[in-house]
Amino acid sequence: MIMLTSLLHRQDLKDIIFRWMSDQLLEEDCGRIKKIVNFNVYITHLYLDSFCNDLFRLLAGGNTWSFYTNTKGDLKDFVLQVAPYSDERHLYLKSRYEKYPEDFYRSTPFRGKIYCSASREHPSYLGHSRIKRFRRVAEKASRRMIDMIFGEIRKRADQLASERASRLGIPQDQLFTPLEEQKEEFAHAERRFLKHLRTGTFQPDEAMVKAAAIHDVAGVKTITDNGRRDLLEAFFHDSPGCTIVEKEVHSGNYDAVNYIIRLTLDKKSLINRPPDARVIDVLAARGLNRATTADDYRDFVDTGEDTVFLEVIASDYREMIESEFGRSMHEERILSQRNQVEYRSSVARNVRYITEYLFLFAVSGKERIHRLPVKLWEKTMPDTYDHAIRELWDIPTVPVL
């Protein structure tokens, strides 16, 4: 159902996610998921860093340097410290941050890379890259799938209402339905959809898959003060294999431009940079075959898609500060999105469980599973899901003496 367009072999991943929603676990899924998730993490770091090096060298007009961060606190500290201006609003936000640092989600995990110009003694922040954490990817993917499922169930509920109106010989818009009957009709439509899913008679069409595509697993934030916006778009147009496929201008509470970029991969370069000994150790700990990793990686790149998609957000420095400390704080926006889910039944909860479980299995030491711990159509306690996650790392749910 879901296409994660920043990844290679995304069609295979989409098919596996759809099968798992139908409780169809194939023997080859386990090894395939391990490769798709883990190789893509490595590959995404490579192509994203190459893209950013080219982009920020142009914006800086010279050489750049970079460093990794592990929490949002690292990013917030740095962008505030090196801000190129100091006005009343900036000083106010700075004083609040210094006085109440606990209000700014400093401990949020954030594996990003910050790019700078000028000297290391007097750095200038150009922007940063980031790859969405598995929890965020699973959360966003499940939200898209929940919306898709909710739409399908509403279609079926409307069909039931239309059938009832037809039996009564009245137009549907004149049909009065008591609340309890509406709830029962919706529950019946939900069961009808789940039956179609279980029996394989439901297949999402191309339009549904396209609408649910997620283009921002890989992303870049760039500062475009001092006329750099034109320079940024010139980079997109002039760089070989780089195409703008979407451009969305945000204004009001948060002023920025979001670009979705299609990037043609330099596969030869990727193949020439296979996982080193340290990365192979990590991959082996996650259940991949150490002896075949080099060959598997080469084949994975060679047979994957030629293009990927990534998000580039362009804003000026003041808007960057607002997005980390002020009126449009990023973490607050994420929490708001989580609260806007319209469909909250056990089906919706199970969609999130199954999606997240897939990514967590991929990075666990378990080489295979023999059954999926959650079925979309069964009511599942959070304790059941918690137990399944603990099993991936052999952590007992109940302490064993």
Side-chain angles (χ1 to χ4, degrees), residues 147-362:
D147 288 344
M148 186 189 305
I149 289 171
F150 188 40
E152 287 299 305
I153 292 171
R154 280 197 298 195
K155 284 182 189 176
R156 287 160 174 77
D158 286 344
Q159 289 171 1
L160 290 172
S162 177
E163 291 167 7
R164 189 154 48 85
S166 180
R167 288 196 301 270
L168 294 172
I170 60 174
Q172 186 177 343
D173 59 3
Q174 295 180 18
L175 183 68
F176 172 75
T177 307
L179 181 59
E180 287 305 312
E181 193 169 344
Q182 289 180 38
K183 290 179 179 178
E184 179 54 37
E185 208 162 62
F186 187 85
H188 182 61
E190 186 177 67
R191 286 190 291 270
R192 180 182 287 186
F193 169 78
L194 292 173
K195 180 181 179 181
H196 290 168
L197 189 65
R198 292 171 69 175
T199 58
T201 55
F202 168 73
Q203 289 292 330
D205 58 34
E206 186 176 342
M208 292 172 65
V209 174
K210 184 177 181 180
I214 295 175
H215 300 306
D216 64 346
V217 173
V220 178
K221 182 75 174 280
T222 180
I223 300 301
T224 52
D225 294 67
N226 305 319
R228 285 178 176 164
R229 184 74 53 80
D230 292 340
L231 199 58
L232 176 69
E233 294 203 1
F235 173 83
F236 294 151
H237 287 111
D238 297 341
S239 297
C242 184
T243 308
I244 299 174
V245 294
E246 289 181 23
K247 177 181 177 181
E248 185 177 6
V249 178
H250 298 275
S251 60
N253 198 42
Y254 178 52
D255 293 344
V257 181
N258 280 50
Y259 301 91
I260 299 300
I261 304 300
R262 183 172 61 242
L263 191 65
T264 300
L265 294 174
D266 182 350
K267 286 192 170 183
K268 183 178 179 180
S269 175
L270 292 175
I271 289 173
N272 288 336
R273 297 181 64 185
D276 59 21
R278 182 192 65 80
V279 175
I280 289 175
D281 285 343
V282 173
L283 296 177
R286 294 180 177 182
L288 276 73
N289 188 330
R290 182 188 296 273
T292 63
T293 294
D295 289 339
D296 291 343
Y297 171 77
R298 189 181 304 109
D299 179 68
F300 185 86
V301 174
D302 194 47
T303 58
E305 292 87 348
D306 295 323
T307 62
V308 291
F309 292 71
L310 58 93
E311 177 187 58
V312 178
I313 302 174
S315 73
D316 66 28
Y317 211 106
R318 283 177 170 79
E319 291 300 319
M320 172 64 183
I321 293 295
E322 293 292 342
S323 73
E324 295 298 335
F325 304 95
R327 65 178 182 271
S328 56
M329 198 186 305
H330 182 250
E331 292 81 6
E332 299 286 359
R333 282 183 279 137
I334 291 173
L335 292 174
S336 176
Q337 288 172 358
R338 291 175 180 172
N339 291 330
Q340 288 173 3
V341 176
E342 186 176 2
Y343 180 45
R344 298 176 181 270
S345 76
S346 60
V347 175
R349 189 164 55 248
N350 288 343
V351 167
R352 181 174 63 81
Y353 287 161
I354 294 169
T355 311
E356 188 174 77
Y357 183 82
L358 181 146
F359 287 100
L360 291 176
F361 164 71

Side-chain angles (χ1 to χ4, degrees), residues 10-52:
R10 47 188 175 264
Q11 180 69 47
D12 286 354
L13 179 60
K14 177 184 74 70
D15 293 343
I16 292 171
I17 292 174
F18 182 63
R19 284 204 304 273
W20 284 27
M21 292 295 160
S22 307
D23 194 37
Q24 298 176 33
L25 172 64
L26 302 184
E27 184 176 351
E28 62 268 23
D29 284 352
C30 294
R32 193 71 185 133
I33 280 294
K34 293 277 184 181
K35 291 177 183 177
I36 290 174
V37 171
N38 290 291
F39 282 155
N40 267 305
V41 170
Y42 178 74
I43 289 165
T44 305
H45 276 292
L46 293 182
Y47 78 68
L48 196 53
D49 193 44
S50 176
F51 175 85
C52 287

Side-chain angles (χ1 to χ4, degrees), residues 31-87:
R32 193 71 185 133
I33 280 294
K34 293 277 184 181
K35 291 177 183 177
I36 290 174
V37 171
N38 290 291
F39 282 155
N40 267 305
V41 170
Y42 178 74
I43 289 165
T44 305
H45 276 292
L46 293 182
Y47 78 68
L48 196 53
D49 193 44
S50 176
F51 175 85
C52 287
N53 282 329
D54 291 342
L55 171 63
F56 290 124
R57 269 198 300 268
L58 175 69
L59 295 181
N63 291 331
T64 64
W65 59 280
S66 58
F67 64 95
Y68 283 106
T69 62
N70 292 309
T71 67
K72 282 305 292 288
D74 296 336
L75 174 66
K76 291 173 188 283
D77 289 347
F78 185 77
V79 297
L80 200 61
Q81 173 192 340
V82 303
Y85 68 95
S86 181
D87 56 19

Side-chain angles (χ1 to χ4, degrees), residues 122-145:
H122 303 285
S124 174
Y125 168 78
L126 295 169
H128 65 266
S129 65
R130 62 99 185 105
I131 301 173
K132 269 188 173 21
R133 291 177 290 117
F134 294 131
R135 176 182 170 82
R136 292 273 289 117
V137 173
E139 179 185 90
K140 187 164 187 174
S142 61
R143 202 162 58 234
R144 293 283 174 89
M145 282 188 285

